[in-house]
Amino acid sequence: MIHLQQVSVVYPNGTRALSNVDLHIERGEFAFITGASGSGKSTLLALVYRDIAPTEGKVIVDGQDIAKLPPRRVPYLRRKVSVVFQDFRLLPDKTIWENVGFALDVLGASRREKHHKVPLTLELVGLSSKAEDYPRELSAGEQQRVCIARSLVNMPPVLLADEPTGNLDPDMSWEIVQLLADIAGQGTTVVMATHDKRIVDRMGRRVVQLVQGMMVRDAKEGGRYDAP
Amino acid sequence: MRLNTIEFLLQQSWEGVVRNGLVSLAAVANIAVALVVLGAIVLTGVNLQHMASLQAEAAVITVDLEDEADTAEIQAALLGRQQVKEAKFVGKDESLLKWAERIGLELPEPDPDRRVKLITELLGGNPLPDSLCVKPVDPQDIPAIAAEAKKIPGVAEVRYGEQVTEKLLTLARGTKISGLVMGLIMGAATLLIIGTTIRLTIYARRREIRIMQLVGATNWFIRIPFLLEGVFQGLAGALIAIIILLPAYSYAQGYIDRNLEFINLVYSTEVLAIFAFGLVACGLVFGAAGSALSLRRYLRVV
Ligand SMILES: Nc1ncnc2c1ncn2[C@@H]1O[C@H](COP(=O)(O)OP(=O)(O)OP(=O)(O)O)[C@@H](O)[C@H]1O
Ligand SMILES: [Mg+2]
């Protein structure tokens, strides 16, 4: 589903954020990207949703090399690859229902489609009862679940999460990661960048570790945060 | 496009107008003022042109002939020019009759021939020459035709009502030019202020825009609400301009009709409808252009 081949990224200011990364993630897989701050986790994800282009190498998503994707095609890639961030990015003057529906509105969905998909997605993330509330009335964990619902509502095959638990306490973090694992279980490819050691160890899933932009470890099933 | 989508786009743009409150209002007022000024200039120009053409329709060149001139040849020479529509021969007797009528000479004779004879006797001869009455295709060419006619052998004198027509035409031309200049200045100011409101909206909406880009909205989809916002403002300004201009014009027209009978203002519903339509079109174009410029500069597309 996601294939990085000999990818390097050098930012315009000269910072080398990734060096010769080779990474292959299959459909329906759940993978952690770990590494210290500044190791290139966000940069790696940004390549996949085409917020940046690689300086060298190929980035293949769903069979398509997106390294040279023309700008007008980027929106169509984003419909297949959605992103969840640490800071939720909800619209404060819209209800939870509207926040999730917004993602469908901007894709030109019909009202009927919206009324079908939004409740289903809210149920998936366990927020059906909060549909009419506003973001400020929700806990941080709940807000993150709204953000995940918004990313999922148009049923993308790939979900990227950049430190989705960064602002959450351990219990809430665990809930969110469980939710992401469930989503992966239903066939969505999920890639999560994190430096939450406890979560990574407790989950025991695939772990890709970056050190200063280089991929130093790719532990398949049963991965731990620290190298054994 | 789906109903839901149209509703969404309209709502987004309306929110932009409302959110910017006073600035939107300023933009609308600016457009209204610009269009009122432009509209007034256009109406003035149209009327000057109209008056000039009324004048021009009546405008002719009188070419007086020498006694032994070859009338047919001069007539042919004049008609040979493209600018000349008609060159009618007017005999000296006919001119004499017209002159007599004009000065209000009271004659007991009803028969034209006898009248001519009577006046000639009275004056001891007919002092008027034979002449050609020349009508131009375009009244603008009158001075040129007159100058040419003077050069033809056998032509004694050339006369035309130069003052009024020429002045009106000059005035109409001047109005057109000043209208253009004002239009450019006002247009630039309008683009600037609409651009500013759109820029504010882009700023206020930056989070929303980012989310839209992340969930895969196309660039056009993201731009449309901003364009519509500019268009809303343009249309509102145009409506205000129409509400101010049309009644004012109708009032002026009534006043002039009553007090200055020799001036005839254009007042056909058709012309005014076209005029109103033009204002709306201007508002629309300015609104869309203002926001388009701002979008180009300030909206970072993917
Ligand atoms: N837009 C940018 N321009 C220049 N350098 C950048 C830019 N974004 C990131 N970098 C640099 O690239 C390197 C990798 O950054 P990145 O954000 O990918 O790290 P990260 O692993 O996500 O860190 P964190 O855990 O703090 O989020 C860092 O050295 C960072 O300073
Ligand atoms: Mg990061």
Side-chain angles (χ1 to χ4, degrees):
Chain A
M1 196 68 190
I2 302 170
H3 302 279
L4 274 63
Q5 297 174 1
Q6 287 298 306
V7 170
S8 298
V9 171
V10 179
Y11 281 107
N13 65 359
T15 309
R16 194 171 183 85
L18 287 178
S19 299
N20 302 321
V21 173
D22 265 300
L23 176 64
H24 304 277
I25 297 174
E26 301 308 322
R27 192 178 296 270
E29 225 180 317
F30 181 103
F32 286 116
I33 311 288
T34 65
S37 187
S39 58
K41 304 183 294 292
S42 298
T43 302
L44 194 151
L45 295 186
L47 281 171
V48 180
Y49 64 94
R50 192 49 162 76
D51 206 31
I52 58 170
T55 314
E56 279 167 43
K58 281 185 177 176
V59 178
I60 296 165
V61 176
D62 200 14
Q64 189 183 18
D65 185 0
I66 61 166
K68 295 189 178 66
L69 197 66
R72 70 190 159 77
R73 300 298 309 166
V74 170
Y76 301 98
L77 170 74
R78 302 264 171 91
R79 294 173 192 196
K80 290 193 278 187
V81 180
S82 58
V83 207
V84 172
F85 294 95
Q86 179 173 354
D87 58 359
F88 320 142
R89 303 193 185 182
L90 300 176
L91 298 171
D93 48 1
K94 289 192 188 318
T95 64
I96 301 316
W97 206 100
E98 289 164 348
N99 261 286
V100 176
F102 185 79
L104 290 175
D105 282 332
V106 302
L107 301 184
S110 69
R111 188 183 304 268
R112 171 202 273 258
E113 191 180 348
K114 208 165 84 167
H115 281 260
H116 173 67
K117 287 183 175 170
V118 173
L120 266 180
T121 314
L122 283 177
E123 200 182 313
L124 179 73
V125 301
L127 283 179
S128 299
S129 62
K130 306 276 186 183
E132 297 309 317
D133 291 1
Y134 286 86
R136 63 175 176 280
E137 298 166 334
L138 267 55
S139 75
E142 286 166 339
Q143 287 186 44
Q144 188 56 290
R145 279 189 276 158
V146 177
C147 181
I148 293 172
R150 185 179 63 200
S151 299
L152 286 177
V153 71
N154 73 330
M155 303 176 180
V158 178
L159 179 69
L160 308 176
D162 194 351
E163 296 186 37
T165 61
N167 284 344
L168 308 179
D169 66 36
D171 287 346
M172 278 187 187
S173 299
W174 182 242
E175 265 179 38
I176 293 295
V177 176
Q178 287 289 296
L179 175 61
L180 292 175
D182 284 350
I183 291 162
Q186 289 171 26
T188 303
T189 309
V190 178
V191 182
M192 172 171 160
T194 185
H195 38 211
D196 190 330
K197 179 177 186 307
R198 278 198 294 183
I199 281 184
V200 175
D201 288 345
R202 196 166 160 194
M203 287 293 286
R205 304 291 282 258
R206 182 175 176 186
V207 177
V208 174
Q209 191 184 350
L210 297 176
V211 174
Q212 292 182 356
M214 280 175 287
M215 210 175 103
V216 297
R217 187 163 63 105
D218 185 358
K220 304 289 178 184
E221 284 306 303
R224 313 282 295 174
Y225 190 85
D226 296 308
Chain B
M1 232 188 270
R2 294 206 167 93
L3 201 65
N4 181 49
T5 306
I6 295 169
E7 195 185 313
F8 175 80
L9 292 172
L10 286 176
Q11 192 197 332
Q12 289 270 309
S13 32
W14 180 244
E15 271 175 22
V17 174
V18 173
R19 172 158 26 199
N20 283 333
L22 275 180
V23 186
S24 292
L25 216 63
V28 170
N30 184 288
I31 299 164
V33 169
L35 288 178
V36 164
V37 172
L38 278 186
I41 291 173
V42 167
L43 281 176
T44 313
V46 164
N47 276 295
L48 285 173
Q49 192 85 47
H50 175 68
M51 275 167 6
S53 64
L54 282 185
Q55 285 282 328
E57 257 161 48
V60 293
I61 308 164
T62 307
V63 177
D64 289 344
L65 305 175
E66 282 167 2
D67 281 345
E68 27 342 300
D70 185 339
T71 310
E73 199 171 299
I74 297 171
Q75 211 168 8
L78 285 167
L79 283 172
R81 308 187 62 81
Q82 278 188 344
Q83 300 139 305
V84 175
K85 186 164 74 182
E86 195 183 302
K88 205 178 72 188
F89 178 76
V90 182
K92 53 162 68 172
D93 292 350
E94 195 180 337
S95 300
L96 193 68
L97 272 180
K98 277 208 187 121
W99 171 81
E101 248 170 59
R102 205 162 56 229
I103 65 166
L105 203 63
E106 301 271 346
L107 290 170
E109 255 336 313
D111 178 61
D113 282 348
R114 294 224 196 114
R115 283 166 70 119
V116 171
K117 227 176 138 190
L118 207 75
I119 305 166
T120 315
E121 272 166 22
L122 219 70
L123 295 174
N126 183 349
L128 298 179
D130 284 335
S131 62
L132 292 172
C133 172
V134 177
K135 279 194 181 164
V137 176
D138 181 346
Q140 300 227 35
D141 298 332
I142 287 182
I145 298 173
E148 284 301 310
K150 258 182 210 154
K151 294 184 200 151
I152 303 174
V155 170
E157 205 184 321
V158 177
R159 292 173 282 133
Y160 62 94
E162 43 203 313
Q163 305 83 358
V164 185
T165 309
E166 248 182 284
K167 271 187 190 147
L168 279 174
L169 285 173
T170 315
L171 216 54
R173 258 197 303 275
T175 313
K176 261 185 219 160
I177 293 166
S178 63
L180 210 68
V181 172
M182 286 296 270
L184 285 179
I185 296 170
M186 289 291 193
T190 306
L191 289 185
L192 214 71
I193 189 160
I194 290 185
T196 306
T197 66
I198 299 303
R199 186 184 171 185
L200 286 176
T201 310
I202 292 173
Y203 184 75
R205 280 251 163 91
R206 63 198 184 281
R207 287 154 57 88
E208 235 163 300
I209 292 171
R210 182 69 180 144
I211 294 168
M212 287 167 109
Q213 288 173 340
L214 284 177
V215 299
T218 57
N219 287 330
W220 266 113
F221 198 94
I222 296 172
R223 285 188 194 117
I224 286 174
F226 295 103
L227 286 176
L228 284 180
E229 185 182 334
V231 168
F232 275 164
Q233 294 172 348
L235 288 182
L239 281 182
I240 294 174
I242 290 173
I243 289 172
I244 293 172
L245 273 178
L246 288 191
Y249 185 69
S250 143
Y251 176 81
Q253 201 253 349
Y255 179 84
I256 286 172
D257 260 4
R258 266 177 278 115
N259 300 295
L260 303 161
E261 280 162 37
F262 58 93
I263 297 178
N264 286 301
L265 290 193
V266 182
Y267 204 89
S268 78
T269 347
E270 203 178 317
V271 168
L272 291 183
I274 291 173
F275 174 72
F277 183 80
L279 283 183
V280 169
C282 273
L284 206 136
V285 168
F286 274 127
S291 44
L293 287 177
S294 203
L295 285 177
R296 272 184 73 103
R297 283 190 60 182
Y298 302 110
L299 184 64
R300 192 186 77 105
V301 292
V302 283

